[in-house]
């Protein structure tokens, strides 16, 4: 394909820029919670850093792996060097380093004649290796006391370090990576009710026990007193009162939030939702079946990731003797007929329809209009229905 002339390329660039400037485009927003569940919050200017050391065990567990391995190695090496120095000082003060080769001299530790040998004896003592070449004698009470101290402190160091490494290895963070959330959230009608929906799934065969899910709406808010709250959190009910928030997560599930009068989206139409800046944070919690440890997976949906008028493509199919989940369609959605009005207006239209239809005559069946159709027509009833009502009124008079 030939390269376009310069004047044509410049004309195309100018047209594209003009089109992009003329179209209203939302500015990219900063996420509060990343898609992988990491909270995008950094704590700065923390003055009371001593609080981290008051909970030293949790601090060690929360460190990154490279720092944890470095501290793990340094703690053992420094402990061996410290007690090795103490064994060398005892040998130096007793004169074992000078008279250790004499036949009638009883040293504190046999075959300890340098700092290197003292360091090796410290390692053998704390790790209970006991090669048998360097041993403590009964003519050294200070050595016996030091042996007891090193044995006790060595056990404490082993308990802390091994415990930290075990907790770090067995953390259920990696288990949360096999819990999936759909890339998009959708808004559509379910059972004549406007609902906000997203999908969750578990890739492993081992299930999450006592799984529960909740959601939060994160958006800026200004109170009646004029106080500005930049990241206000509002609860989104996804079945807490009915128990639907307790999940049996064997196959992917569509989590639904009914937009009713208690919902923060009650008065939001499609146009209003496209103007608002918000973020929906979803949190899935449960116990890992294999270890019994609590696992938490998080994700979020920005306002640009909430699509109005869509539904999720089914992923479950019945095969020969089992159900099969097609994860290729896990994030797939398709467009569906959905009113662009708010849930409040939809409920009002439904109420008008139900109040007027009982007055119709039973002898002349009239097709019942759907509440969604009333939103697009100025008259709440068809023309035949109006004539029927007028006839009933005339007969009554």
């Amino acid at each position: 394909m030939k390269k376009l002339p310069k004047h044509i390329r410049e004309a195309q660039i100018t047209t594209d820029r003009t089109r992009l400037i003329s179209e209203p485009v939302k500015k990219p927003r900063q996420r509060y919670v990343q898609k992988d569940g990491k909270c995008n919050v950094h704590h700065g200017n923390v003055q009371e850093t001593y609080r981290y050391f008051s909970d030293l065990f949790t601090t060690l567990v929360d460190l990154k792996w490279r720092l944890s391995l470095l501290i793990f190695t340094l703690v053992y090496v420094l402990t061996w060097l410290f007690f090795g120095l103490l064994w060398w000082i005892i040998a130096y003060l007793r004169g074992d380093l000078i008279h250790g080769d004499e036949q009638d001299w009883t040293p504190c530790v046999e075959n300890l004649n340098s700092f290197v040998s003292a360091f090796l004896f410290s390692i053998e003592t704390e790790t209970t290796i006991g090669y048998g070449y360097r041993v403590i004698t009964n003519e050294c009470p200070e050595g016996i006391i030091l042996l007891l101290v090193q044995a006790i402190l060595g056990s404490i160091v082993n308990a802390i370090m091994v415990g930290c490494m075990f907790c770090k290895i067995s953390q259920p963070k990696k288990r949360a990576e096999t819990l999936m959330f759909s890339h998009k959230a959708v808004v559509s009608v379910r059972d004549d009710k406007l609902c906000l929906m997203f999908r969750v799934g578990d890739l492993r065969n081992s299930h999450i026990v006592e799984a529960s899910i909740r959601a939060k709406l994160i958006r800026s808010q200004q109170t009646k007193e004029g106080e500005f709250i930049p990241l206000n959190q509002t609860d989104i009910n996804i079945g807490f009162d009915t128990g639907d928030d307790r999940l049996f997560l064997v196959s992917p599930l569509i989590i639904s939030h009914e937009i009713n009068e208690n919902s923060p989206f009650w008065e939001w139409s499609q146009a209003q939702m496209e103007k608002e800046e918000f973020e929906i944070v979803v949190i899935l919690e449960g116990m890992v079946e294999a270890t019994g440890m609590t696992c938490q997976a998080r994700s979020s949906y920005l306002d640009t990731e909430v699509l109005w008028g869509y539904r999720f493509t089914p992923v479950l199919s019945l095969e020969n003797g089992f159900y099969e989940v097609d994860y290729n369609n896990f994030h797939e959605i398709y467009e569906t007929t959905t009113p662009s009005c708010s849930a409040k207006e939809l409920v009002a239209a439904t109420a008008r329809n139900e109040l007027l239809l009982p007055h119709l005559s039973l002898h002349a069946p009239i097709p019942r209009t759907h509440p969604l159709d009333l939103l697009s027509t100025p008259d709440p009833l068809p023309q035949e229905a109006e004539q029927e009502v007028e006839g009933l009124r005339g007969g009554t008079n």
Side-chain angles (χ1 to χ4, degrees):
M1 182 176 180
K2 294 183 179 181
K3 188 176 181 181
L4 296 175
K6 182 178 180 180
H7 65 280
I8 297 179
R9 286 187 279 112
E10 291 179 351
Q12 287 181 343
I13 294 175
T14 304
T15 303
D16 292 340
R17 289 185 60 189
T18 305
R19 179 176 58 82
L20 291 175
I21 292 174
S22 61
E23 290 181 356
V25 180
K26 277 191 174 183
K27 296 185 296 183
R29 294 184 58 246
Q30 187 68 45
R31 284 185 178 273
Y32 186 62
V33 176
Q34 301 289 350
K35 275 293 188 181
D36 57 359
K38 295 180 181 179
C39 297
N40 196 19
V41 178
H42 297 271
H43 300 279
N45 298 327
V46 179
Q47 303 295 332
E48 300 177 348
T49 55
Y50 66 89
R51 294 180 181 271
Y52 291 103
F53 295 98
S54 61
D55 188 13
L56 185 60
F57 185 83
T58 305
T59 302
L60 293 175
V61 173
D62 290 340
L63 290 176
K64 295 182 179 180
W65 268 107
R66 56 179 178 269
L67 292 177
S68 297
L69 294 176
L70 178 61
I71 293 176
F72 184 85
T73 305
L74 286 178
V75 166
Y76 277 107
V77 172
L78 293 178
T79 304
W80 296 335
L81 286 173
F82 173 72
F83 283 103
L85 179 62
L86 294 181
W87 286 113
W88 181 84
I89 292 175
I90 291 177
Y92 176 78
L93 295 178
R94 285 175 53 88
D96 296 343
L97 302 179
I98 301 174
H99 307 284
D101 296 334
E102 299 178 4
Q103 295 294 332
D104 55 348
W105 183 266
T106 304
C108 181
V109 179
E110 293 182 358
N111 300 311
L112 195 153
N113 49 20
S114 64
F115 178 76
V116 176
S117 60
F119 176 69
L120 293 175
F121 180 72
S122 174
I123 297 176
E124 295 174 13
T125 301
E126 189 165 335
T127 57
T128 65
I129 294 176
Y131 289 121
Y133 182 69
R134 280 173 288 270
V135 293
I136 190 172
T137 62
N138 55 3
E139 300 293 334
C140 183
E142 61 271 21
I144 296 175
I145 295 175
L146 181 59
L147 179 65
L148 294 175
V149 172
Q150 185 174 4
I152 295 173
L153 292 180
S155 300
I156 296 175
V157 170
N158 288 332
I160 295 176
M161 291 293 101
V162 174
C164 288
M165 297 302 294
F166 176 78
C167 290
K168 195 168 185 63
I169 293 173
S170 59
Q171 275 184 325
K173 291 183 179 180
K174 296 299 181 182
R175 178 63 176 91
E177 294 183 0
T178 56
L179 298 173
M180 296 178 57
F181 295 90
S182 58
H183 292 161
K184 305 290 183 181
V186 298
V187 177
S188 60
V189 176
R190 234 188 199 190
D191 296 331
D192 293 337
K193 297 177 182 178
L194 209 58
C195 296
L196 171 71
M197 294 171 285
F198 58 92
R199 183 144 60 186
V200 297
D202 189 3
L203 298 178
R204 288 190 179 274
N205 292 327
S206 59
H207 304 150
I208 297 294
V209 183
E210 295 292 333
S212 62
I213 193 166
R214 50 197 173 97
K216 293 285 185 180
L217 174 65
I218 311 294
R219 65 190 295 258
S220 301
Q221 181 182 357
Q222 188 170 5
T223 62
K224 297 180 180 179
E225 295 77 16
E227 179 186 3
F228 179 74
I229 305 176
L231 294 174
N232 183 57
Q233 299 185 11
T234 305
D235 187 64
I236 299 177
N237 188 1
I238 48 180
F240 178 78
D241 50 349
T242 60
D244 292 337
D245 61 328
R246 315 294 293 184
L247 307 180
F248 183 50
L249 198 58
V250 179
S251 60
L253 301 176
I254 297 177
I255 308 301
S256 176
H257 162 65
E258 179 185 339
I259 303 179
N260 51 28
E261 59 273 8
N262 298 322
S263 171
F265 309 105
W266 172 242
E267 298 181 354
W268 287 19
S269 62
Q270 181 179 2
Q272 180 68 20
M273 181 170 287
E274 292 176 354
K275 294 178 182 179
E276 294 288 341
E277 294 184 355
F278 62 92
E279 183 175 353
I280 300 174
V281 178
V282 293
I283 305 169
L284 176 62
E285 293 179 330
M287 290 189 302
V288 181
E289 187 179 29
T291 61
M293 301 184 69
T294 303
C295 171
Q296 184 181 93
R298 298 181 293 267
S299 186
S300 69
Y301 301 96
L302 291 178
D303 47 87
T304 56
E305 297 170 345
V306 180
L307 304 182
W308 192 288
Y310 286 85
R311 287 178 184 161
F312 286 103
T313 304
V315 296
L316 200 63
S317 61
L318 179 61
E319 300 297 333
N320 187 13
F322 61 91
Y323 293 95
E324 183 177 0
V325 178
D326 184 11
Y327 280 98
N328 289 329
N329 296 328
F330 183 84
H331 302 287
E332 296 297 324
I333 56 177
Y334 64 93
E335 195 169 2
T336 182
T337 303
T338 304
S340 60
C341 66
S342 64
K344 182 178 180 180
E345 296 171 346
L346 178 61
V347 172
T350 305
R352 290 198 305 269
N353 189 33
E354 292 179 353
L355 287 175
L356 292 174
L357 284 179
H359 296 282
L360 303 181
S361 174
L362 298 178
H363 302 285
I366 300 174
R368 181 183 177 93
T369 58
H370 195 274
L372 304 183
D373 300 331
L374 297 177
L375 298 175
S376 57
T377 57
D379 298 327
L381 291 177
Q383 184 177 1
E384 295 82 354
E386 292 182 355
Q387 296 176 357
E388 183 78 19
V389 173
E390 291 296 332
L392 291 175
R393 288 177 180 176
T396 304
N397 294 334

